[in-house]
Amino acid sequence: MPKQVDPHERRTLLADALLRVAATRGLMDVSLRHVAAEAGVTAGMVQHYFRTKDEMMVFALDVVSARVQARLEADPTTHDGPGALVRALLVQLLPVDDDRVLEGRVAIAFHAYAASRPAVATRLREDTRGMRAMIAEQIRSEGHGALDPEQAATGLLSLVEGLAVHVLGGHVTADHAVSTLDAHLAMAFGHVSVLGRPDDPRHSRAEHR
Amino acid sequence: MPKQVDPHERRTLLADALLRVAATRGLMDVSLRHVAAEAGVTAGMVQHYFRTKDEMMVFALDVVSARVQARLEADPTTHDGPGALVRALLVQLLPVDDDRVLEGRVAIAFHAYAASRPAVATRLREDTRGMRAMIAEQIRSEGHGALDPEQAATGLLSLVEGLAVHVLGGHVTADHAVSTLDAHLAMAFGHVSVLGRPDDPRHSRAEHR
DNA sequence: AGAATGACGATACAAGTGCAATGTGACAAG
DNA sequence: CTTGTCACATTGCACTTGTATCGTCATTCT
């Protein structure tokens, strides 16, 4: 038997290349050959690890959701109470730095892709479902009870997704988005249970970049 | 000189076909030939009215934004005060019926497209800018002043965009989205200045379809 | 040492893409 | 009735796409 390689590692390498292409040139430019070129390998190898293009797409989607979850678990502010946990999660989804901008572009691209690919849509739905359940639970535990946890969770999640779209489109600043999120968090949880905003108490009015 | 036709009418016809294709099969399947087939014309005619594919895309985007604005102006509840006006605008953006579902799919597809097409991104930005300005103005006039109008406008717009994405993805019901929007509107404007919710006072808990 | 097997690379192919060039026909002004 | 001009149709081209097929080479077990 020949050389033994870790297939998952290879696939992840290719998925990373795919994500880079998707983020910089859009999902329409994601092709076997482009991904291969971006990864610095031959198109044949891509085909060897993904029998079909859709298989590659779905795997790439898995990679990003796993990556987001990993970052969440590594975030220390997670353990500063329910409010901080929820904030940590939601900020992960906001394009606040370069890495997150790439992931954001990929995410929105996949949402569009999901409209015509049921398999992708299902996976997206599972992820959202999990996040909403955990947010609702946290609100139930510390929220000030004035509003329905399920509804508040839906609202926060949607707000963040919309903010992400607007930030990526250059409609608003990342700072503006974060402060908007914080304002809404303060409404869901009784107080501003947020540490780590050492800057101007008035939210930044940087306006459109 | 030969037969005189209204170019704008022709272009709109083609744009409609493009929107149908984009909504049902995704933006990746939008090609000159597919649009032509959907419109029931030859590919040559499409080329006659749009010198390039991008030109066709941008025009189609213009058509939808013009259509949304037209619907807004035709909405009678618009004149029931600032709160109702804002609600009317935002509900227009929610995929509450079949037509709006198609437009919603198109919108998210274009947001993804904008990531790699600056011209499209600019146009999208202009539309958003206008909406936010008008929402902020309305909040300034009747809002209860506890929060910054600009920020509240950004929040509402983002919320609606996120809700639209979630509804289209099947993550939440349209009813759930509307009631969530209403809850947030009640926060921006002092009271629930909304008529026309004859159903159960408790928001519908239809959950994920 | 030899063979088997997994990891690739190269190539082929049908289908589809955007775009350019050129044709064709009808209709209105002269 | 001619003629110029606009509205389309046809065809062609160079290219990219996803996928199938086959070749090759190294490595590891026997």
Coordinates of all heavy atoms in Angstrom, one line a residue, chain B residues 2-3 5 10 33 42 44 48-49, chain D residues 4-10 12-13:
Chain B
P2 N -37.7 52.5 -39.6 CA -38.6 51.4 -39.3 C -39.4 51.5 -38.0 O -39.4 52.6 -37.4 CB -37.6 50.2 -39.2 CG -36.3 50.9 -38.6 CD -36.3 52.3 -39.2
K3 N -39.9 50.4 -37.7 CA -40.8 50.3 -36.5 C -40.1 51.0 -35.2 O -38.9 50.7 -35.0 CB -41.1 48.9 -36.2 CG -42.0 48.7 -34.9 CD -42.5 47.3 -34.9 CE -41.5 46.2 -35.0 NZ -42.1 44.9 -34.8
V5 N -39.9 51.2 -31.3 CA -40.3 50.6 -30.1 C -39.8 51.3 -28.8 O -38.9 52.1 -28.9 CB -39.8 49.1 -30.0 CG1 -40.9 48.1 -30.1 CG2 -38.8 48.9 -31.1
R10 N -39.0 47.2 -23.4 CA -38.3 46.0 -23.8 C -37.4 45.5 -22.7 O -37.3 44.4 -22.3 CB -37.6 46.2 -25.1 CG -38.4 46.4 -26.3 CD -39.5 45.4 -26.5 NE -39.9 45.2 -27.9 CZ -40.9 44.4 -28.2 NH1 -41.5 43.7 -27.3 NH2 -41.2 44.2 -29.5
R33 N -28.6 33.5 -22.6 CA -29.5 32.5 -23.3 C -30.6 32.1 -22.4 O -31.8 31.9 -22.8 CB -28.7 31.3 -23.7 CG -27.7 31.6 -24.8 CD -26.7 30.5 -24.9 NE -25.8 30.6 -26.1 CZ -24.7 31.4 -26.1 NH1 -24.5 32.2 -25.1 NH2 -23.9 31.5 -27.2
T42 N -35.2 35.6 -28.6 CA -33.9 35.0 -29.0 C -32.7 35.7 -28.2 O -32.9 36.8 -27.7 CB -33.6 35.3 -30.5 OG1 -33.5 36.7 -30.7 CG2 -34.6 34.6 -31.3
G44 N -30.2 36.9 -29.3 CA -29.7 38.1 -30.1 C -30.4 39.3 -29.6 O -29.8 40.4 -29.6
H48 N -29.1 42.9 -28.1 CA -29.4 44.1 -28.8 C -29.7 45.2 -27.8 O -29.4 46.4 -28.0 CB -30.6 43.9 -29.7 CG -31.0 45.2 -30.5 ND1 -30.2 45.8 -31.4 CD2 -32.1 45.9 -30.3 CE1 -30.8 46.8 -31.9 NE2 -32.0 47.0 -31.2
Y49 N -30.4 44.8 -26.7 CA -30.8 45.8 -25.7 C -29.9 46.0 -24.5 O -29.9 47.0 -23.8 CB -32.2 45.4 -25.2 CG -33.3 45.8 -26.2 CD1 -33.9 44.8 -26.9 CD2 -33.7 47.1 -26.4 CE1 -34.9 45.1 -27.8 CE2 -34.6 47.4 -27.3 CZ -35.3 46.4 -28.0 OH -36.2 46.7 -28.9
Chain D
dG4 P -29.9 54.8 -49.5 OP1 -29.3 55.9 -50.3 OP2 -29.4 53.4 -49.6 O5' -29.8 55.3 -48.0 C5' -30.5 56.4 -47.5 C4' -31.2 56.1 -46.2 O4' -32.3 55.1 -46.4 C3' -30.3 55.6 -45.1 O3' -30.6 56.2 -43.9 C2' -30.6 54.1 -45.0 C1' -32.1 54.1 -45.4 N9 -32.7 52.9 -45.9 C8 -32.1 52.1 -46.9 N7 -32.8 51.1 -47.2 C5 -33.9 51.1 -46.4 C6 -35.0 50.3 -46.3 O6 -35.3 49.2 -47.0 N1 -35.9 50.7 -45.4 C2 -35.8 51.9 -44.6 N2 -36.7 52.1 -43.8 N3 -34.7 52.7 -44.7 C4 -33.8 52.3 -45.6
dT5 P -29.5 56.4 -42.8 OP1 -29.3 57.8 -42.5 OP2 -28.4 55.5 -43.1 O5' -30.3 55.8 -41.5 C5' -31.7 56.0 -41.4 C4' -32.4 54.9 -40.6 O4' -32.8 53.8 -41.5 C3' -31.4 54.2 -39.6 O3' -32.2 54.1 -38.4 C2' -31.2 52.9 -40.2 C1' -32.5 52.6 -40.8 N1 -32.5 51.5 -41.8 C2 -33.6 50.7 -42.0 O2 -34.6 50.8 -41.3 N3 -33.5 49.7 -42.9 C4 -32.4 49.4 -43.7 O4 -32.4 48.5 -44.5 C5 -31.3 50.3 -43.5 C7 -30.0 50.1 -44.3 C6 -31.4 51.3 -42.6
dC6 P -31.5 54.6 -37.0 OP1 -31.8 56.0 -36.8 OP2 -30.1 54.2 -37.0 O5' -32.3 53.8 -35.9 C5' -33.7 53.7 -35.9 C4' -34.2 52.3 -36.0 O4' -33.8 51.7 -37.2 C3' -33.8 51.4 -34.8 O3' -34.9 51.1 -34.1 C2' -33.2 50.2 -35.5 C1' -33.8 50.3 -36.9 N1 -33.0 49.6 -38.0 C2 -33.6 48.6 -38.8 O2 -34.8 48.3 -38.5 N3 -32.9 48.0 -39.8 C4 -31.7 48.3 -40.0 N4 -31.0 47.7 -41.0 C5 -31.0 49.3 -39.2 C6 -31.7 49.9 -38.2
dA7 P -34.8 50.2 -32.8 OP1 -35.8 50.6 -31.8 OP2 -33.4 50.2 -32.4 O5' -35.2 48.8 -33.4 C5' -36.6 48.6 -33.7 C4' -36.8 47.1 -34.0 O4' -36.0 46.7 -35.1 C3' -36.4 46.2 -32.8 O3' -37.3 45.1 -32.7 C2' -35.0 45.7 -33.2 C1' -35.2 45.6 -34.7 N9 -33.9 45.8 -35.5 C8 -32.9 46.6 -35.2 N7 -31.9 46.5 -36.1 C5 -32.3 45.5 -37.0 C6 -31.7 44.9 -38.1 N6 -30.5 45.3 -38.5 N1 -32.3 44.0 -38.7 C2 -33.6 43.6 -38.3 N3 -34.2 44.1 -37.2 C4 -33.5 45.0 -36.6
dC8 P -37.4 44.4 -31.3 OP1 -38.7 43.7 -31.2 OP2 -36.9 45.2 -30.2 O5' -36.3 43.3 -31.6 C5' -36.7 42.0 -32.0 C4' -35.9 41.5 -33.2 O4' -34.8 42.4 -33.6 C3' -35.3 40.2 -33.0 O3' -36.2 39.2 -33.3 C2' -34.0 40.2 -33.9 C1' -34.1 41.6 -34.5 N1 -32.7 42.2 -34.7 C2 -32.0 41.7 -35.8 O2 -32.4 40.9 -36.6 N3 -30.7 42.3 -36.0 C4 -30.3 43.2 -35.2 N4 -29.1 43.7 -35.5 C5 -31.0 43.7 -34.1 C6 -32.2 43.1 -33.9
dA9 P -36.0 37.8 -32.7 OP1 -37.4 37.1 -32.7 OP2 -35.4 37.9 -31.4 O5' -35.1 37.1 -33.7 C5' -35.4 37.0 -35.1 C4' -34.3 36.4 -35.9 O4' -33.2 37.3 -36.1 C3' -33.7 35.1 -35.3 O3' -33.8 34.1 -36.2 C2' -32.3 35.5 -35.0 C1' -32.0 36.7 -35.9 N9 -31.1 37.7 -35.3 C8 -31.3 38.4 -34.2 N7 -30.3 39.3 -33.9 C5 -29.4 39.1 -35.0 C6 -28.1 39.6 -35.3 N6 -27.6 40.6 -34.5 N1 -27.5 39.2 -36.4 C2 -28.1 38.2 -37.1 N3 -29.2 37.6 -36.9 C4 -29.9 38.1 -35.8
dT10 P -33.4 32.6 -35.8 OP1 -34.3 31.7 -36.4 OP2 -33.2 32.5 -34.3 O5' -31.9 32.4 -36.5 C5' -31.6 33.4 -37.4 C4' -30.1 33.1 -37.9 O4' -29.3 34.2 -37.5 C3' -29.5 31.8 -37.4 O3' -29.0 31.1 -38.5 C2' -28.5 32.3 -36.4 C1' -28.1 33.6 -36.9 N1 -27.7 34.6 -35.8 C2 -26.6 35.4 -36.0 O2 -25.9 35.4 -37.0 N3 -26.4 36.3 -35.0 C4 -27.1 36.4 -33.8 O4 -26.8 37.2 -33.0 C5 -28.3 35.5 -33.7 C7 -29.1 35.6 -32.5 C6 -28.5 34.7 -34.7
dG12 P -21.9 28.8 -38.7 OP1 -21.4 28.4 -40.0 OP2 -22.5 27.8 -37.8 O5' -20.7 29.6 -37.9 C5' -20.2 30.8 -38.4 C4' -19.3 31.4 -37.4 O4' -20.0 32.0 -36.3 C3' -18.2 30.4 -36.8 O3' -16.9 30.9 -37.0 C2' -18.7 30.3 -35.3 C1' -19.3 31.7 -35.1 N9 -20.3 31.7 -34.0 C8 -21.4 30.9 -33.9 N7 -22.1 31.2 -32.9 C5 -21.5 32.2 -32.3 C6 -21.8 32.9 -31.1 O6 -22.8 32.7 -30.3 N1 -20.9 33.9 -30.8 C2 -19.8 34.2 -31.6 N2 -19.0 35.2 -31.2 N3 -19.5 33.6 -32.7 C4 -20.3 32.6 -33.0
dC13 P -15.7 30.0 -36.7 OP1 -14.8 30.2 -37.8 OP2 -16.2 28.6 -36.3 O5' -15.1 30.7 -35.4 C5' -15.1 32.1 -35.3 C4' -14.6 32.5 -33.9 O4' -15.7 32.6 -33.1 C3' -13.7 31.5 -33.3 O3' -12.6 32.1 -32.7 C2' -14.6 30.8 -32.3 C1' -15.5 31.9 -31.9 N1 -16.8 31.5 -31.3 C2 -17.3 32.2 -30.2 O2 -16.7 33.1 -29.7 N3 -18.5 31.8 -29.6 C4 -19.1 30.8 -30.2 N4 -20.3 30.4 -29.7 C5 -18.6 30.1 -31.4 C6 -17.5 30.5 -31.9

